[in-house]
Amino acid sequence: MSNNGRSLRPEKSSVAGNANGAQKEERPDAGMRALDHYKNKLPKWRYRLRQFFIPVVRWETHYLALAQENLRFPALDSYFALTANLGTHTFFMIMLPILFWCGYTSLGRALTSVLAFGVFWSGFIKDMLCLPRPLSPPLKRITMSGSAALEYGFPSTHSTNAVSVAMYALITLQQQPSSEFRYVVEYFSYFYAISIVLGRLYCGMHGFFDVVVGSALGALLTLLQTSYGELLESWLFEGTLRNPTIAILVLLILVRIHPEPADDCPCFDDSVAFAGVLMGVTMGSWHYAGSGFAWSLPTPATVPFNYANVGLIRACVRIFLGVFLIFAWRGLMKPTLLAFLPPVFRVIEQYGLDLPRKFFMRASQYKTVPALRKDDNVIPPASSIPTLITSLRNPRRRAVSVGPQSEADAYETLAYREKRRRESMSSQTGGRSSSTARPRIAEDPDEGPLLNSLRMTRDGDIQYSPVESSPTTVIVDERGLGELGGDGASDHRELFANLEKPRVRYDVEVITKLIIYSGIAWIAVEGAPILFELCGLGAL
């Protein structure tokens, strides 16, 4: 319980009023605790920003639901579910090392920079504002990622990634002579970015506001890279260790000031992973440039590669060996660090030097870190690759979900339901009829009667049809949540009890991710290229 008597978690709520029956203290009923969750958890300035943008998110829901209802088609479901993978962290973490190993070092470093900063800053904004995804229902969410729906919605990281990559490709192509190949790549870049952005709307994963701002962020990062990237690289390769050290310290400071979210959101984990990637690329490139193995042209630390000399078979062997090194490093270092770091963290904690974060258990609170599952949204363990491949066979059947999937979803469902209940009561008091509601959204034959209780009002909001025993009933989820009654406390308990519980996260995971992903980046830019030369897979 907090000092003002409010319960911060709905399942621990108590009846309003004190032992003497006094109820003059401003204290919300059960239905209002969802609204107070963010007020209690966030600093005032962040809460005010969130409240400023929340009406935009709710206003969009009506139009997104109508568009999805009219446009959904099985083939499109499969297409957008599959192509969404082309905007994920995992896809880029697989493709970026290949660029280095095939000699496209300048392109690889530039894309790594815009993508890493895109993931970091989009996650930074998500955790700062804590804005939910568009409400489901009425929207159906189509995604093959089990973690995507657990993140906040604003801005869209997929849109940031896609637009930054496409825009960088277009700017780079403008410097090349005209050719059929150039035009093909240009058209593909436009198609790729538009497809990913529209797909986030079609799949119900983001609203217009999310993708517009996400796209703008991606464009801004690309413009900064193309304008100042070469200047930053020349500063980095000046020769002394001071400059890369300064760059790494700046990255560590950014990780430290990453906002604390109000809910258990995995955005911070992804931001840490890509900060580690930048650290590894920075230090690895600087060291590789002076190793004697790298070419200095067309840019310092260029990985030697000549297709005419290497050939297709040796090029494929290089890629296979490099990927093997990455997964071997991850598989070896993860358990080693999770076993070695907790005792070190306990010593640090005794001297008050630890930097705890919400939702992360401190080392003094546990003895050992158990084997972690589904703890990495960027690079999965090698053992899960067959499952990932199998899931691609029928993306639509496995991807469609309706209802709250995270705490942020649940709080938004409760808060929005309370908002509509109060507006409905006010409307009835004023003598206005609710018969002006829009027609119900048609049922999806594949999903069942999930939306029977939902109506869309003319002002773009969602209204839940009244039920005799409870004027606040809402069909929430297809996974057994059923109908939520009018008792606010029981609504809260039932709704949150049916959410997938976030796993326990441990403080050592932050440093573990930084080390592992720094190592992955070092393997990509220095470790694997040196090994290629030593194993006879070099360019000469």
Side-chain angles (χ1 to χ4, degrees), residues 152-167:
Y152 298 118
F154 172 81
S156 167
T157 304
H158 273 75
S159 300
T160 301
N161 290 342
V163 169
S164 62
V165 169
M167 188 170 174

Side-chain angles (χ1 to χ4, degrees), residues 68 72 76-85 88 133 136 140-151 158 199-200 202-206 391-392 394-403 405 409 479:
Q68 191 183 66
R72 272 195 69 195
L76 286 178
D77 282 7
S78 298
Y79 171 77
F80 283 119
L82 284 169
T83 55
N85 293 297
T88 61
R133 294 181 182 273
S136 172
K140 298 180 180 68
R141 292 179 180 165
I142 307 169
T143 176
M144 298 181 68
S145 171
S147 64
L150 302 181
E151 298 180 359
H158 273 75
R200 306 318 287 160
Y202 176 93
C203 292
M205 297 300 293
H206 288 284
S391 67
L392 297 176
N394 195 335
R396 182 175 181 272
R397 180 167 60 85
R398 293 172 172 80
V400 181
S401 63
V402 179
Q405 296 170 282
D409 282 345
R479 298 168 297 178

Side-chain angles (χ1 to χ4, degrees), residues 46-107:
R46 285 172 59 189
Y47 176 73
R48 291 194 185 102
L49 277 176
R50 184 181 188 277
Q51 291 302 100
F52 178 80
F53 290 118
I54 274 288
V56 178
V57 177
R58 293 174 179 169
W59 171 82
E60 293 178 321
T61 301
H62 162 68
Y63 301 100
L64 292 168
L66 287 181
Q68 191 183 66
E69 182 64 25
N70 289 306
L71 295 176
R72 272 195 69 195
F73 187 72
L76 286 178
D77 282 7
S78 298
Y79 171 77
F80 283 119
L82 284 169
T83 55
N85 293 297
L86 301 180
T88 61
H89 317 329
T90 303
F91 172 76
F92 291 115
M93 280 299 294
I94 293 173
M95 296 304 298
L96 289 174
I98 296 176
L99 290 177
F100 286 98
W101 301 333
C102 292
Y104 297 100
T105 301
S106 178
L107 177 62

Side-chain angles (χ1 to χ4, degrees), residues 25-43:
E25 177 187 4
E26 184 181 354
R27 185 175 180 178
D29 59 29
M32 288 295 289
R33 294 189 200 281
L35 300 179
D36 262 15
H37 170 73
Y38 295 99
K39 186 175 183 179
N40 291 331
K41 296 277 187 173
L42 298 176

Side-chain angles (χ1 to χ4, degrees), residues 59-367:
W59 171 82
E60 293 178 321
T61 301
H62 162 68
Y63 301 100
L64 292 168
L66 287 181
Q68 191 183 66
E69 182 64 25
N70 289 306
L71 295 176
R72 272 195 69 195
F73 187 72
L76 286 178
D77 282 7
S78 298
Y79 171 77
F80 283 119
L82 284 169
T83 55
N85 293 297
L86 301 180
T88 61
H89 317 329
T90 303
F91 172 76
F92 291 115
M93 280 299 294
I94 293 173
M95 296 304 298
L96 289 174
I98 296 176
L99 290 177
F100 286 98
W101 301 333
C102 292
Y104 297 100
T105 301
S106 178
L107 177 62
R109 279 205 297 262
L111 290 183
T112 299
S113 180
V114 296
L115 287 168
F117 278 115
V119 172
F120 180 86
W121 286 115
S122 63
F124 189 100
I125 298 171
K126 283 181 178 180
D127 279 356
M128 182 177 67
L129 297 181
C130 304
L131 290 173
R133 294 181 182 273
L135 200 60
S136 172
L139 284 168
K140 298 180 180 68
R141 292 179 180 165
I142 307 169
T143 176
M144 298 181 68
S145 171
S147 64
L150 302 181
E151 298 180 359
Y152 298 118
F154 172 81
S156 167
T157 304
H158 273 75
S159 300
T160 301
N161 290 342
V163 169
S164 62
V165 169
M167 188 170 174
Y168 186 84
L170 292 170
I171 293 176
T172 303
L173 287 171
Q174 295 302 315
Q175 304 170 4
Q176 306 298 321
S178 299
S179 66
E180 292 184 1
F181 176 76
R182 168 184 160 180
Y183 294 132
V184 169
V185 176
E186 285 182 350
Y187 292 141
F188 176 79
S189 298
Y190 283 116
F191 180 79
Y192 167 73
I194 294 172
S195 180
I196 295 295
V197 172
L198 292 182
R200 306 318 287 160
L201 300 173
Y202 176 93
C203 292
M205 297 300 293
H206 288 284
F208 305 109
F209 187 46
D210 301 340
V211 299
V212 168
V213 175
S215 299
L217 176 61
L220 175 62
L221 292 172
T222 298
L223 289 175
L224 290 175
Q225 174 63 35
T226 54
S227 299
Y228 302 104
E230 292 184 2
L231 182 63
L232 183 61
E233 283 202 353
S234 63
W235 172 79
L236 179 66
F237 292 111
E238 280 182 355
T240 65
L241 185 60
R242 180 194 63 183
N243 292 351
T245 302
I246 292 174
I248 289 176
L249 289 176
V250 170
L251 291 171
L252 290 174
I253 291 173
L254 290 176
V255 170
R256 180 64 191 96
I257 66 173
H258 194 286
E260 295 274 14
D263 307 289
D264 197 350
C265 172
C267 297
F268 176 71
D269 302 58
D270 298 341
S271 297
V272 167
F274 274 83
V277 168
L278 281 177
M279 291 166 59
V281 169
T282 298
M283 187 59 71
S285 297
W286 176 84
H287 187 266
Y288 184 55
S291 66
F293 289 94
W295 288 349
S296 58
L297 296 175
T299 184
T302 294
V303 177
F305 183 83
N306 186 311
Y307 183 77
N309 294 335
V310 173
L312 178 61
I313 295 178
R314 291 200 327 184
C316 291
V317 173
R318 284 163 63 107
I319 294 173
F320 176 82
L321 179 59
V323 171
F324 173 80
L325 289 174
I326 287 176
F327 279 98
W329 164 264
R330 184 190 185 279
L332 176 65
M333 292 303 298
K334 178 183 171 183
T336 301
L337 291 170
L338 292 180
F340 170 76
L341 288 177
V344 177
F345 270 55
R346 292 187 192 104
V347 174
I348 294 174
E349 189 177 330
Q350 288 179 356
Y351 291 95
L353 301 176
D354 61 323
L355 300 173
R357 288 187 63 89
K358 287 181 183 177
F359 310 112
F360 283 83
M361 186 180 293
R362 301 172 73 172
S364 60
Q365 298 174 310
Y366 60 88
K367 293 182 179 179

